[in-house]
Amino acid sequence: MNRGLDISQIVSVLKSVLGKGNASIHLHEPKFAGKEWIYVKDCLDTGWVSSAGKYVEEFEEKLAHYTGVKHAVAAVNGTAALHICLMLVGIKQGDEVLLPALTFVATANAVYYCGATPHFIDSDFQSLGINPDKLHDYLEEIAFIRNGFCYNRLTLRPIKAVIAMHTFGHPVDLDQLLAVCQKYNLELIEDAAESLGSYYKKKHTGSYGRLSALSFNGNKIITTGGGGAILTNDSSLAKLAKHLTTTAKLTHPWAFVHDQVGYNYRLPNINAALGCAQLEQIENFIKNKRALAEKYQRAFAKIDGITFFEEPGYAQSNYWLNVLLLDKDYSELRDTLIASTHEQGILTRPSWTLMNKLPMFQSCPHMDLSAAESLEQRIINIPSSAVLGEDVW
């Protein structure tokens, strides 16, 4: 018989998994156990700390190799990388871009930077990302094709692209989403900010869209302090991405000539040096994080009222941020549970506020968001640092 939600029991289970002592346990912390000091010191010793230096190119090459794409272009952060991705597929003022309502604000902000309108889509309970089936049915209702382009019959604006955001590191069902994109002539861009080390059907995320964006913020799988990257298999787009992110400056020994509006989105060499050292350890980070996720799964398997969210069957996730999902009957207890964990020094958090609820995006179009609204009220992120999984295996 279901006994309901016992908050004290949930806190106790978290403590048992985390082995909590007296120190607070943060949501996600970086670990520096490789050659970070050596590479960063090399930058300091040689003076190559800014926008040029060997580590930027080395980091790009290592990223491309790890993710299985032809090209990686480093950028100052993930938002900048996503902004350039959108520009390179031709997103401009007056366009609409489809993206999940349940996402970090950077996804919508990047669309707005282009002068385009975010158009918010519902989530899939299986992946926490865009629901391809529901998107297909929605486009059947509100979209039409004219001269090879998709238009919103309600706003008469062109719908140009879909951003697939891999929520908390769990891959979207990309095959189904690509089928929708093909039917409606939409570009697919992957917001893979959270999914470095995640695989969809044994192929790395970020390699399905025409362009994809990564993030290396301090709380990501690997960190460069701040940083991001653009992934693509299109050599011409990679070249243009590099040009645009380096202020569109033409190569010359001394002259400053810029052939279009560019962006100072370069990743400094000292940050790339940190990234090189981190990327050398990523397999161990992922192993530890998956071990931690498995321990959470076992611990919460028989707890009433709450479920540990597991990767979709088609995917191998990095479990960037682990998720506890409250049963619908107990969604109103989310904040009470979060407050209880904080009192015990276990720093949990809710999901993001849905994008359509934020004041700057309230007038943007959106479909029925019943699944996203349900998830928003029931998701609790719990500590997920790689170091927490070290003693599991």
Side-chain angles (χ1 to χ4, degrees):
M1 187 173 79
N2 193 317
R3 296 171 297 163
L5 188 71
D6 185 339
I7 290 178
S8 62
Q9 182 188 29
I10 293 171
V11 174
S12 295
V13 171
L14 284 171
K15 286 182 177 181
S16 71
V17 172
L18 299 171
K20 182 186 177 310
N22 294 323
S24 293
I25 299 180
H26 295 274
L27 199 66
H28 202 292
E29 295 181 282
K31 180 180 180 180
F32 305 114
K35 297 181 179 179
E36 290 90 348
W37 282 102
I38 296 171
Y39 295 166
V40 170
K41 185 176 185 300
D42 183 45
C43 293
L44 297 174
D45 289 344
T46 60
W48 292 100
V49 298
S50 192
S51 57
K54 67 179 183 179
Y55 289 106
V56 174
E57 183 175 340
E58 181 180 339
F59 187 46
E60 291 173 337
E61 290 175 353
K62 287 183 175 181
L63 275 174
H65 181 264
Y66 180 76
T67 57
V69 300
K70 290 182 180 179
H71 306 282
V73 178
V76 69
N77 55 53
T79 311
L82 186 56
H83 179 203
I84 294 298
C85 289
L86 291 162
M87 289 185 63
L88 290 176
V89 299
I91 303 302
K92 60 184 184 301
Q93 187 170 359
D95 295 337
E96 291 184 8
V97 176
L98 303 166
L99 65 147
L102 182 65
T103 186
F104 180 56
V105 70
T107 314
N109 282 344
V111 173
Y112 195 80
Y113 294 167
C114 296
T117 299
H119 189 149
F120 300 117
I121 304 303
D122 203 15
S123 299
D124 180 5
F125 289 115
Q126 182 184 20
S127 71
L128 306 179
I130 285 177
N131 184 323
D133 291 333
K134 196 168 181 179
L135 174 59
H136 174 270
D137 293 345
Y138 178 62
L139 291 174
E140 285 280 285
E141 178 185 345
I142 65 103
F144 66 94
I145 304 294
R146 185 173 65 196
N147 298 325
F149 292 96
C150 181
Y151 287 86
N152 183 339
R153 69 173 70 254
L154 303 177
T155 65
L156 299 181
R157 290 188 292 249
I159 304 175
K160 291 284 188 68
V162 177
I163 301 177
M165 188 273 201
H166 303 299
T167 312
F168 306 130
H170 298 293
V172 173
D173 190 335
L174 286 162
D175 283 344
Q176 290 196 61
L177 192 55
L178 280 165
V180 176
C181 290
Q182 184 175 12
K183 181 174 180 178
Y184 287 95
N185 296 333
L186 302 170
E187 293 281 5
L188 177 65
I189 293 173
E190 291 178 73
D191 182 347
E194 301 172 0
S195 66
L196 184 65
S198 293
Y199 293 82
Y200 175 80
K201 296 184 178 180
K202 299 184 179 181
K203 185 178 177 183
H204 198 285
T205 55
S207 60
Y208 287 82
R210 190 174 178 196
L211 293 139
S212 302
L214 298 174
S215 172
F216 309 116
N217 189 34
N219 65 351
K220 294 301 190 294
I221 294 291
I222 67 168
T223 185
T224 59
I230 300 153
L231 304 179
T232 185
N233 288 310
D234 188 317
S235 298
S236 61
L237 288 182
K239 183 177 180 180
L240 184 53
K242 192 73 170 179
H243 187 57
L244 288 175
T245 55
T246 53
T247 68
K249 182 181 182 296
L250 299 177
T251 302
H252 192 278
W254 59 81
F256 284 83
V257 180
H258 307 260
D259 62 354
Q260 62 188 105
V261 174
Y263 299 85
N264 189 7
Y265 283 174
R266 299 168 291 187
L267 182 70
N269 193 53
I270 195 168
N271 296 85
L274 189 61
C276 287
Q278 287 271 286
L279 196 55
E280 290 171 357
Q281 303 166 78
I282 190 169
E283 294 293 355
N284 197 47
F285 292 163
I286 299 290
K287 182 178 181 179
N288 289 342
K289 288 175 69 62
R290 288 184 59 82
L292 176 63
E294 184 178 342
K295 190 172 183 180
Y296 275 135
Q297 191 278 326
R298 292 196 303 268
F300 282 96
K302 297 181 180 179
I303 304 300
D304 291 319
I306 199 163
T307 303
F308 178 76
F309 185 85
E310 297 181 55
E311 64 195 0
Y314 54 69
Q316 178 177 313
S317 300
N318 63 13
Y319 285 95
W320 170 59
L321 281 188
N322 290 302
V323 172
L324 291 179
L325 196 61
L326 289 164
D327 290 358
K328 291 180 181 179
D329 291 342
Y330 304 114
S331 60
E332 74 279 1
L333 296 177
R334 183 197 67 182
D335 291 349
T336 302
L337 177 53
I338 291 173
S340 296
T341 63
H342 277 246
E343 289 172 1
Q344 297 296 318
I346 301 172
L347 305 187
T348 62
R349 75 170 201 192
S351 72
W352 314 282
T353 299
L354 296 186
M355 293 299 100
N356 62 298
K357 295 182 180 180
L358 299 179
M360 60 282 198
F361 299 130
Q362 285 179 358
S363 63
C364 294
H366 64 82
M367 66 185 298
D368 169 73
L369 300 173
S370 54
E373 289 165 352
S374 175
L375 289 168
E376 177 194 25
Q377 294 303 313
R378 298 192 290 128
I379 286 173
I380 298 174
N381 290 125
I382 55 178
S384 304
S385 304
V387 67
L388 297 174
E390 287 185 342
D391 63 346
V392 176
W393 50 270

